[in-house]
Amino acid sequence: MKTQPIYPFAAIVGQEKMKLALILNIINPTLSGVLIRGEKGTAKSTAVRALARILPNIPVVKDCPFQLPKGEADGVCRECSRMDCSRSVLNHESVAIDSRGIRVVELPVGATEDRVVGTMDLEHALKKGEKQVEPGILAAAHRGILYVDEVNLLDDHVVDVLLDSAAMGVNTIEREGVSFSHPARFTLVGTMNPEEGELRPQLLDRFGLCVQIEGIQDAEDRVAIMERRTAFDEDAESFGAAWEEESRIVVERIERAIDLYPKVTIARELLFKIAECCLEVGVDGHRGDIIILKTAKTLAAWNGREEVEKADIDNAAELALPHRVRRQPLMEIADNVQALRKRSVG
């Protein structure tokens, strides 16, 4: 089956903050995802699919519904009787390995908790004493990107489940005293149009990063968007080939940053800068401080450095704090954290 052409990530005009937030979550999945707020037609879904397309392939056990690599399969297979490969894994026999691209799994707005988490065949469990699992969307999203359009329209309980799994990296199916867990590590990307309603503050805070985007106002850039999109629609293959080198550069930079991140250090005095930043803008709790720290280290790795600089903290705050700033009722989410800090100090 012919692969659907995807617009190249490197060819997207503008929206640099959104693209950076997505890249940082690929480098460091513990950032707990990104919430993209903005109007329709601003390349949100295009950017997510385009980034996934250029990332390197990953090895998976063939036909495994949990997207497991061979080394991770043992723990799940011990509890799962659904897969024919289970016995092979547990008996240390060879299993077939596939190589495939990073998946973008989309969550429908009307999805139920069972559809998201997965469910269990209780009749099979009672009759045969075996756990028969029907994996959900979280299983399909493991090691990939879970894309939730209009996340503000989802049931709050479903959003809670998504955010819990994104933070813990594990999904647990519990039904009638039967429990089954499997890895669920994914990059969570939520999008929303604020005009259609807001997320509760408790849920907003659980997204690691937040970016506000809008249509590009520069006429030259808007013309570039029209020209590039027209060229892609007319001949997607040639257009993609023309951007292959730029895409390869992005991927190589991501891979270097992933290797570099564990080596990145931060001076203790800069930790005080993070704490002061959060106190100045009125952030509740400590999640904001921790996410700024992780984001600053990820930014340093992205820029090829092993030590965090003050500029990394300033840039991290612009991504990690807008949705965490304490607001009055009906007050919009901040789009310039540095300006808020200056006002609070002044």
Side-chain angles (χ1 to χ4, degrees):
M1 188 171 65
K2 191 175 181 180
T3 305
Q4 180 75 17
I6 299 291
Y7 192 87
F9 186 80
I12 296 173
V13 178
Q15 309 299 5
E16 298 303 325
K17 188 180 284 190
M18 174 182 69
K19 291 189 286 187
L20 177 61
L22 291 170
I23 287 171
L24 294 178
N25 270 275
I26 294 296
I27 296 169
N28 183 5
T30 69
L31 290 179
S32 301
V34 55
L35 177 64
I36 305 172
R37 296 163 45 86
E39 57 205 34
K40 299 280 186 186
T42 45
K44 298 188 290 291
S45 59
T46 298
V48 174
R49 294 187 183 93
L51 182 58
R53 177 58 62 89
I54 65 174
L55 293 174
N57 284 3
I58 58 172
V60 295
V61 174
K62 188 176 181 181
D63 298 325
C64 176
F66 302 102
Q67 324 309 317
L68 300 176
K70 185 177 180 181
E72 196 176 46
D74 181 73
V76 176
C77 288
R78 193 172 299 282
E79 301 293 331
C80 176
S81 63
R82 183 177 187 272
M83 295 301 298
D84 291 337
C85 74
S86 298
R87 296 173 186 80
S88 297
V89 170
L90 296 179
N91 293 328
H92 304 288
E93 298 171 8
S94 61
V95 291
I97 302 296
D98 272 348
S99 177
R100 63 159 178 77
I102 299 293
R103 285 182 180 168
V104 177
V105 178
E106 296 192 36
L107 181 72
V109 170
T112 62
E113 183 182 350
D114 278 353
R115 178 74 184 91
V116 173
V117 175
T119 189
M120 215 169 266
D121 187 340
L122 293 178
E123 184 179 352
H124 181 88
L126 291 171
K127 284 183 177 179
K128 298 191 176 182
E130 296 176 340
K131 299 175 183 179
Q132 183 89 355
V133 178
E134 190 59 43
I137 290 172
L138 294 180
H142 180 47
R143 303 171 72 204
I145 297 174
L146 181 57
Y147 179 68
V148 188
D149 196 17
E150 298 181 321
V151 65
N152 52 321
L153 303 183
L154 276 178
D155 181 79
D156 281 351
H157 182 60
V158 173
V159 178
D160 270 329
V161 169
L162 290 177
L163 295 170
D164 279 341
S165 293
M168 302 294 293
V170 175
N171 175 49
T172 301
I173 305 168
E174 293 185 341
R175 295 291 183 273
E176 303 295 332
V178 182
S179 181
F180 176 83
S181 296
H182 65 83
R185 294 186 297 275
F186 50 84
T187 299
L188 178 63
V189 180
T191 67
M192 60 176 284
N193 185 343
E195 295 176 358
E196 297 172 345
E198 287 285 1
L199 277 171
R200 287 190 290 115
Q202 297 91 329
L203 296 178
L204 275 173
D205 182 57
R206 299 283 294 281
F207 278 94
L209 308 182
C210 177
V211 294
Q212 180 82 31
I213 62 173
E214 57 185 20
I216 293 172
Q217 301 303 310
D218 182 78
E220 191 169 327
D221 285 342
R222 292 179 78 100
V223 169
I225 291 171
M226 289 186 281
E227 291 174 336
R228 291 184 187 181
R229 186 69 214 194
T230 302
F232 174 76
D233 289 341
E234 290 175 352
D235 189 347
E237 189 173 339
S238 296
F239 186 81
W243 287 92
E244 239 175 52
E245 179 62 19
E246 285 80 356
S247 297
R248 185 184 60 78
I249 291 171
V250 172
V251 172
E252 288 179 354
R253 191 174 173 187
I254 289 173
E255 290 175 328
R256 285 197 298 269
I258 291 171
D259 291 338
L260 186 59
Y261 178 79
K263 305 173 187 174
V264 175
T265 60
I266 181 169
R268 195 164 190 266
E269 56 265 28
L270 290 182
L271 297 180
F272 283 92
K273 292 288 184 185
I274 294 174
E276 289 165 8
C277 175
C278 292
L279 290 170
E280 286 168 0
V281 298
V283 173
D284 294 323
H286 304 284
R287 189 175 281 123
D289 307 61
I290 294 168
I291 294 296
I292 290 179
L293 171 58
K294 289 182 176 181
T295 305
K297 292 177 68 176
T298 310
L299 281 165
W302 171 243
N303 290 308
R305 288 182 277 103
E306 292 188 12
E307 190 168 355
V308 172
E309 298 176 354
K310 184 180 180 300
D312 296 322
I313 293 173
D314 292 337
N315 292 332
E318 291 293 342
L319 294 169
L321 293 188
H323 55 312
R324 294 189 168 93
V325 174
R326 196 180 298 132
R327 314 192 306 278
Q328 298 298 323
L330 303 180
M331 185 177 174
E332 291 289 327
I333 283 181
D335 61 357
N336 190 324
V337 173
Q338 294 304 322
L340 285 176
R341 292 177 63 190
K342 289 175 183 175
R343 283 205 297 270
S344 68
V345 173

